Each structure stands twice: as structure tokens, then as C-alpha cells.
Amino acid sequence: MAAELSGAPLRISRPVRRGRSATTEAPAVRVALVGLVFVFLGFFLMLPLVAVFVEALRGGISAYLAAIVEPDALAAIRLTLIVAAIAVPANMVFGVAAAWAVAKFEFKGKSLLVTLIDLPFSVSPVISGLVYVLLFGAQGFFGPFLDAHGVEIIFAVPGIVLATIFVTFPFVARELIPLMQEQGSGDEEAALSLGASGFTTFLLVTLPNVKWALLYGVLLCNARAMGEFGAVSVVSGHIRGLTNTMPLHVEILYNEYSFAAAFAVASLLALLALFTLALKTFLEWRFAGAIAAERAH
Amino acid sequence: MDIVLQNISKAFDDYPAVHDISLAIRSGELIALLGPSGSGKTTLLRLIAGLEFLDRGRILFGDEDASAKSVQERNVGFVFQHYALFKQMNVADNVGFGLRVRPRASRPGRTEIRRRALELLDLVQLSGLEKRFPMQLSGGQRQRVALARALAIEPAVLLLDEPFGALDAKVRKELRRWLRDLHERTGHTTVFVTHDQEEALELADRVVVMNAGRVEQVGTADDIYDAPASPFVHGFIGESSSLPVTLSGGTILVAGRPSGLVGAGAGAARLFFRPGHVDLLRPGERGIAGVVTGSRRLTDRRRLEIAVGGSHSVEIDVPSLPETSGVLETGSEVVFRPREFRLYGESETAPRRAA
């Protein structure tokens, strides 16, 4: 071979494509694809978000603040926080329990349970609300009984809490189930064999193993609990200052053509969404190693 | 501590994982449970640990019936194939876990737990790694941490489920020797599960060969290899060739012809021998005759595949000498005789030697 090289100089007919792999597209295609995504996101996501804040601040900062500290608005904010403060911890407990049951035990009807956990995602929230009206409303199944004992559920705070719990139930459970299934019960068995009680094992081994997934689930659950409209709308009765949550309050203001006030309250919900996303991103960035460790088992 | 299993059975959804097994493990013994996948060896280990519960039978720890005791009460050190280290805790906390979760009355102080953990890390030759997290260790190191963690609770018995199964071949061999040394130093009664016969024979004082939820044979490496108690053990441990034979008037007929081997009994039986334990005979001598159908060179031997009586294929190893290389090509006829063999009838398993 070496002898043959002494002849005519080698001619390279094609430029060498340095630093490219088989899965890399040509630069023009890359720019076009990335650009398309940005245009799409900008148009459908960023623009509306910006519009919310622009509209909210249209009347100036003082009008904005006035709309928020107005008593009905404050009542709506308070109710939203109360509902979330009940629904989120409840779903955290239910979600962990459901995930634990599904991932660590074999029992009859397990696949049915997994399907049921997804039910709130597949049912329209309006239907979810209506179900509670049918059960607990004045003409409902338990209506006469509740009425006789002076318990108000529909068109009152308990109904709103129930509807919110129903709608946000899957978030924690769905975040945990695949992870816990993947992790298996080896760590738990190890802890038990070392003499730890069931509860100690849960606290020291199971929970730390899923803490990031749990936190994600709780964040998403909270965002939805505060933002839920459909189911809550059906059971709330829209009583101003009493059973109006923030999303419902926004709708009422909007229907009354109080656009600035509607957008002011809406901007709070938008801020909550942004805060949730930012917190999630921050946690992912800050604890990337620990999160990867949780997934890698 | 002596551990005695009395007629224990366990079924999963009607599938008998462990069927009527009895076994006495002496204090300080190193026992291997060896068998193919699905033979019930891991289930048996988990039954001893209390990670599964018996359907029938009894398990005695010393003189005490442990059958109904929980895994916590049995005080066993269990080592898992995939380590099962607590990845949110550093190495020292992993090792000290069993002490940390003790009830307040019997829990050592914080510094004492740490001292014990460091002492055990020294024992498993991992001093200096106590602040690392499991993710930062190699497979072999992780398994040694798991072992230190199991030893920390001063277990009545040490149970290891395929402890080296997830490691590469070189580390496996190192750890094997190291475990043997550790066992000699600490003297814990130890039961380990493996599907690697070499590992079982090299490490264990006694090997329990399992198949389909039953014990086929219990014995030393010599017993198991030289005197396999059943066709399964013969076929599973080491290399084996086998042929269907007929016993008649004290001789063994292979494919209807006298083979020059003698054996008592009558009727159909199965002849087992090791491929390496054969002598090649001259054509015409009385032995097992066949036709070479394949030949492969191993390191210092040649392995021949031989069709006997037309349809039965056996393997034999012959020395790879210049003078045999041409003769033993595919299609040529050979006559051979096993130096040692064993006969297994329908019911009898008595060994016999070649005449």
C-alpha cells in the first residue's frame, strides 16, 4: 500500500463532514425546526400569558391593586388557599398510599385500581362536579339525610374541597407509581431484614427514595387545585365572597365586563403557574444528581 | 447457630416453588444452594430469612421454632443480588442502619454506631470510603458494603442471594476468595444461593443441589462431583454425556451390543459418564462403537461428537495428539470405553465401576 502512495497526489472529492453524527440534521433543517417550535410556543403560549399581564395593568398599578384587595377578590383568594391547603395534603396521603399499594403488593383488582386512579383525568371536570351534586345536592342521593342533619356540602366549601380532591387525585399517585414499581421492594426488604419496623422503613427508606417524584406530584397537584374551574364551578353556586374561588371570580368579573379586574385576578393565577414551573425547573437543576440517582436503581 | 428445615413447602399461586425440603445446617457451616433458575433456591433462602412464609413444615433456629417469626425477629443478615443499598445514605450510615433502627433500649449511642460501622468497613477492606454514596462505588465495593451492613446486626445466620451475580467475572473470583477468608475469620453460619457450580464447589463446605423445588443431593464438592446421586446432578454438575442402555445378565448393552461394561440389574437404564473420563480403543476391541459427526479443538484436548447406534449423540474428549488428528475426522469410526460411569435406572441410583 505504501508503495502505491508515491504516485499521483490523493484527491478528495467531497468535503469531510466533521463533527456530525448520523442523527444530526443539516443546519438549515435544524434552524427551521427549532424556529418553528419557537414561533408556535410564542404564539400559543407566550402571547396569551403576556396579554394577561398587559390587560391587568392597563388601568395602571393602582387599579390593579384595587382589584386584588377588593373584598370579594380577597375572599376568593382566601377560599382558593383553604381548598388547596386541604386538597393537596389529602391527595399527598392518598397518592402515596395508592402508589404504595399498587407498586409493592399483588392483589386482585389491581389493574382496576390503576384505571380508577386515572378516572379523574379521563372524565370531564364538569361531570365530576355533577356527580357530587347528584350525590350530595338537595335532590341528590344523600341530600335529604344531609339536610336533616344540617350539613351543607353542595354550594358550600365542603363541596368545593371534595370536587378539587377528586379532580387532582391522580397527580401524586401517577408520579409515584412508575418510580416505585421500577424501584421494587428490595430496599424495603433490606431495611426489614436489618430489624427496622414497617413504619421506620417507610420513613427512612421508601419516602427518601421517592422524595423528588413526590415533590413534583405535589407541585402539579397544587397548581391544578388552585386553578380548577369546571368541577368547582358546578358545585360552588358562585356565591360571591363565600363560595367563589379565584378562577370562578375571574369568570364572574369577565362576564360583568370588568376586564381589568378579571385580568388582575387572572394574573395572580398566571403568576402561580410561573412560580410552579420555575420552582420545578430550579429543583431539577439544583438536585439533578439526586434525581438521577432516584431514577437509576 | 444450627438451622434445621423440617419438611418445608411453599407454593406461589399453586406453583410449588419449594416442595417438602428437609435440611440441617450446622453452626458455622458455609452452605451453597445450587440449581438452575426456577429450582426454588432463592425461595428457600427467603423462607429461611422470613421474607416469605411457609405453607407447611418448620424452621428451627437453634432449638427455637422460627417458622412464625417475622424477618425482624429472626435477626438474619441478608445480602441481595442487586445490593439494595440505601442510596440516599452514605456508606457509614448504610452499615450502621441496623443499629440505628433498634429500639431505644438496645440502641447503641451515635459514636458507638459510627465506631462499629468503621470497624466493619475495615473488615470488608473499605476503610476510607465511609463518606461515599453507593452510586460512587463499584459493584464489588457495593456488595462488600452490603455485607458489612448485614454483619452489623450480628446476625444468627448470613444469607446471600446470588451475591456475585451482578459482577463481572474477574471481580467475582476475587470476591469469592475474599468471602471464603471472611467466613473463616468470622465463623458465621452462612447460606448462599448461586447458579454457578464453580462458585458453589469452590466456596461451600457443603452444596445443596436443587431442582424443581426439591433437593437432589446434599454433599461436599467431592460427593457431588464424584458420586452424583441422580441423573440431574450428574448432568448439572460438570460435563456429562449419557446414553440409553440395556442391562442383561450382568453386562451393559449399548445399542443392543455388548459394551464391555458390567453392571448388575436388568432392563432399561441410562449410562452417564464424563466426556474426559474415556479411553479410546483400537477398532474391533469391545467398547462403545460410534461414528464421529463433529470435532472441535479445545485447549489441550479434542472434543468429539459421536453418534452411537445411529441416533444417540454423545461427546467425548480425547488427547489432541498429532497421531490422532487425522484418524478422528468426521465420518470415521471410533470405539471408546468410559473409565468411570454411573447407571441410573428407573428407580435405582447405585454407582458402578468399569470392569
Side-chain angles (χ1 to χ4, degrees):
Chain A
M1 287 299 275
E4 289 166 31
L5 278 180
S6 59
L10 284 168
R11 245 194 297 164
I12 295 162
S13 57
R14 290 216 293 168
V16 180
R17 296 183 175 186
R18 266 182 237 276
R20 279 195 56 190
S21 66
T23 51
T24 310
E25 302 300 335
V29 178
R30 263 185 288 165
V31 169
L33 283 173
V34 173
L36 193 68
V37 170
F38 270 100
V39 169
F40 184 86
L41 290 179
F43 196 73
F44 284 96
L45 293 177
M46 289 308 292
L47 206 59
L49 198 58
V50 171
V52 168
F53 289 98
V54 169
E55 282 297 323
L57 292 165
R58 182 167 293 241
I61 194 85
S62 55
Y64 176 80
L65 289 177
I68 288 174
V69 298
E70 185 261 331
D72 286 348
L74 278 183
I77 293 169
R78 193 180 313 123
L79 181 59
T80 298
L81 292 176
I82 289 170
V83 169
I86 299 170
V88 174
N91 274 338
M92 196 166 114
V93 174
F94 293 157
V96 170
W100 171 273
V102 168
K104 310 279 178 184
F105 299 103
E106 289 302 325
F107 53 89
K108 287 211 171 89
K110 185 163 140 175
S111 56
L112 182 69
L113 178 65
V114 175
T115 314
L116 280 178
I117 289 172
D118 277 347
L119 188 69
F121 275 176
S122 49
V123 168
S124 162
V126 177
I127 310 284
S128 316
L130 274 177
V131 170
Y132 283 99
V133 173
L134 286 176
L135 283 176
F136 302 118
Q139 267 75 51
F141 193 68
F142 298 113
F145 173 82
L146 294 170
D147 199 36
H149 291 79
V151 180
E152 275 186 286
I153 290 184
I154 299 305
F155 305 144
V157 175
I160 298 173
V161 171
L162 280 177
T164 306
I165 288 178
F166 179 85
V167 171
T168 58
F169 176 74
F171 286 99
V172 173
R174 280 185 58 120
E175 197 69 37
L176 292 184
I177 286 171
L179 181 64
M180 286 172 97
Q181 273 177 333
E182 199 184 302
Q183 289 181 344
S185 37
D187 286 10
E188 280 81 7
E189 287 184 343
L192 294 174
S193 78
L194 292 165
S197 67
F199 185 65
T200 306
T201 301
F202 179 75
L203 277 189
L204 294 185
V205 176
T206 310
L207 267 190
N209 273 351
V210 299
K211 61 174 182 253
W212 296 112
L214 182 61
L215 191 59
Y216 280 180
V218 166
L219 274 177
L220 294 176
C221 180
N222 182 56
R224 180 68 189 269
M226 291 189 173
E228 174 55 26
F229 178 82
V232 171
S233 171
V234 176
V235 296
S236 112
H238 303 262
I239 306 166
R240 277 195 186 211
L242 283 180
T243 65
N244 255 359
T245 61
M246 285 165 77
L248 302 183
H249 191 61
V250 171
E251 196 217 12
I252 289 182
L253 291 172
Y254 185 82
N255 286 344
E256 291 171 348
Y257 304 104
S258 312
F259 293 130
F263 278 107
V265 178
S267 74
L268 290 182
L269 284 170
L271 277 176
L272 167 75
L274 288 176
F275 175 73
T276 304
L277 275 181
L279 188 60
K280 184 170 181 282
T281 311
F282 170 76
L283 290 172
E284 271 172 0
W285 165 76
R286 175 68 183 74
F287 298 102
I291 291 163
E294 190 169 290
R295 309 248 158 206
H297 191 72
Chain B
M1 185 179 289
D2 284 357
I3 291 174
V4 178
L5 315 180
Q6 293 176 341
N7 307 96
I8 63 174
S9 293
K10 171 74 182 178
F12 295 112
D13 299 332
D14 298 336
Y15 170 75
V18 163
H19 191 85
D20 195 26
I21 284 181
S22 295
L23 183 67
I25 298 165
R26 292 188 284 271
S27 187
E29 219 177 0
L30 181 52
I31 291 266
L33 303 180
L34 174 67
S37 333
S39 59
K41 53 193 191 302
T42 293
T43 304
L44 184 59
L45 194 77
R46 292 170 61 87
L47 284 168
I48 299 173
L51 290 170
E52 307 284 351
F53 284 92
L54 295 171
D55 292 342
R56 270 193 302 282
R58 287 208 305 167
I59 295 178
L60 303 179
F61 277 36
D63 298 326
E64 253 182 288
D65 188 349
S67 313
K69 284 189 176 177
S70 70
V71 56
Q72 291 99 329
E73 291 167 326
R74 290 192 200 187
N75 192 37
V76 295
F78 203 100
V79 174
F80 297 80
Q81 180 177 3
H82 296 289
Y83 327 123
L85 293 179
F86 308 129
K87 51 197 170 299
Q88 320 284 352
M89 298 177 202
N90 68 24
V91 166
D93 286 344
N94 262 283
V95 176
F97 184 87
L99 300 174
R100 202 147 52 91
V101 297
R102 278 193 185 165
R104 198 174 295 272
S106 59
R107 190 192 309 156
R110 193 178 287 257
T111 48
E112 170 65 8
I113 291 176
R114 186 169 168 77
R115 193 189 62 75
R116 295 266 287 278
L118 293 181
E119 200 176 273
L120 281 159
L121 283 174
D122 192 42
L123 181 73
V124 300
Q125 296 163 4
L126 289 176
S127 298
L129 298 187
E130 65 271 11
K131 291 215 176 67
R132 298 265 189 99
F133 282 83
M135 289 281 281
Q136 299 167 310
L137 300 178
S138 72
Q141 289 172 330
R142 285 185 212 184
Q143 200 54 298
R144 281 186 279 160
V145 173
L147 197 59
R149 183 178 69 175
L151 289 171
I153 60 169
E154 287 160 23
V157 55
L158 194 55
L159 304 169
L160 305 104
D161 185 12
E162 305 237 10
F164 312 133
L167 303 170
D168 65 57
K170 187 167 170 289
V171 180
R172 257 180 115 105
K173 282 207 165 162
E174 281 168 19
L175 274 189
R176 210 191 276 173
R177 246 163 248 148
W178 174 84
L179 181 65
R180 178 84 240 185
D181 289 349
L182 187 79
H183 178 256
E184 267 158 28
R185 267 187 291 157
T186 61
H188 278 99
T189 310
T190 304
V191 183
F192 74 100
V193 161
T194 181
H195 62 258
D196 180 344
Q197 44 175 291
E198 220 182 290
E199 194 167 287
L201 297 182
E202 183 183 331
L203 256 177
D205 297 324
R206 286 194 300 156
V207 178
V208 178
V209 185
M210 293 185 62
N211 179 37
R214 292 162 203 269
V215 170
E216 292 272 342
Q217 188 172 4
V218 184
T220 63
D222 288 339
D223 296 339
I224 299 277
Y225 189 77
D226 295 335
S230 68
F232 173 83
V233 178
H234 203 300
F236 186 68
I237 310 287
E239 293 179 308
S240 282
S241 283
S242 80
L243 278 172
V245 298
T246 313
L247 293 170
S248 170
T251 64
I252 299 172
L253 305 178
V254 177
R257 285 170 28 190
S259 62
L261 305 173
V262 292
R270 201 153 183 100
L271 175 85
F272 276 78
F273 58 92
R274 307 283 180 200
H277 293 175
V278 297
D279 292 322
L280 269 188
L281 306 177
R282 277 187 294 281
E285 274 189 290
R286 184 169 283 183
I288 301 171
V291 178
V292 178
T293 56
S295 161
R296 273 176 296 138
R297 175 66 193 253
L298 306 180
T299 47
D300 56 343
R301 294 155 297 146
R302 191 169 287 281
R303 170 151 302 174
L304 303 180
E305 223 170 86
I306 293 175
V308 175
S311 55
H312 301 290
S313 184
V314 293
E315 291 184 329
I316 65 169
D317 291 354
V318 296
S320 192
L321 304 169
E323 62 266 29
T324 60
S325 64
V327 187
L328 297 172
E329 272 169 10
T330 305
S332 54
E333 290 194 9
V334 290
V335 181
F336 67 93
R337 186 164 58 202
R339 281 195 296 276
E340 278 169 50
F341 65 92
R342 297 178 74 80
L343 279 176
Y344 300 96
E346 310 307 315
S347 59
E348 55 95 51
T349 57
R352 262 152 259 259
R353 290 199 163 265

